[in-house]
Amino acid sequence: MTRIHLRAWLTVMRWIGNVDQATRVASHLVENAVRHGTPLQPGNLVFLRVFGLSDANDLAIEVEDALPDFPRFEAFAEQSGEVRGKPTGLWWVAHYRGRLSWDVTKNNDGRIVGKTVQAIIPATWDGSE
C-alpha cells in the first residue's frame, strides 16, 4: 500500500526524481519499522512522512515508530550501494545514493516516545556512476 499511495502522491505533485526508486525506499522503511520497530499507540501505527527539499529537489522520507533505538545503525548507514547477495531493505537507500539518518522522537513534554528514521533520496540519480 505504501508504494501505491506514494506513487500517486509523487506523480500528482510532479516530483522530478525517479518515483519508482522513492516508492521502493519508502516501502522498505515502512516494512523495517513494522518488522523491527514498535507500533505507536493507540492503533498499532507507524507514520510515514514524505516531503520535498526545495534546495535540490531531493525527497525526504521519514518513518516514525515507538522503539527509541536503532541497533546497528552505523552498519546500515555505511552500506555500499554494490549488490552483494540478495538486497535487504535499507540497502536500497545506499543503492540510490541516498542518505540515512535517525533520531529519537519526543512528545510535547520532552519525553522520548520513539524514533524517526529518515532517508534523503536525490532527485537526479539515474543509476550511472
Side-chain angles (χ1 to χ4, degrees), residues 21-44:
Q21 293 171 357
T23 58
R24 175 174 281 148
V25 168
S27 176
H28 285 296
L29 288 177
V30 168
E31 183 178 342
N32 280 345
V34 169
R35 283 188 177 183
H36 306 293
T38 301
L40 296 160
Q41 298 298 326
N44 290 329

Side-chain angles (χ1 to χ4, degrees), residues 38-118:
T38 301
L40 296 160
Q41 298 298 326
N44 290 329
L45 304 172
V46 298
F47 291 113
L48 170 66
R49 285 183 295 278
V50 180
F51 51 94
L53 302 173
S54 60
D55 56 336
N57 292 316
D58 294 347
L59 192 70
I61 303 168
E62 295 182 343
V63 176
E64 183 180 336
D65 71 76
L67 183 66
D69 64 345
F70 193 142
R72 299 181 41 232
F73 172 77
E74 291 77 19
F76 293 110
E78 295 173 5
Q79 292 185 79
S80 158
E82 297 176 25
V83 178
R84 295 183 184 143
K86 183 179 179 188
T88 58
L90 294 177
W91 172 84
W92 290 101
V93 176
H95 179 66
Y96 294 137
R97 306 301 184 261
R99 297 181 313 274
L100 187 67
S101 62
W102 81 282
D103 201 356
V104 295
T105 304
K106 297 179 180 180
N107 67 8
N108 293 336
D109 298 332
R111 187 173 55 93
I112 295 173
V113 294
K115 73 173 169 298
T116 300
V117 177
Q118 182 185 71

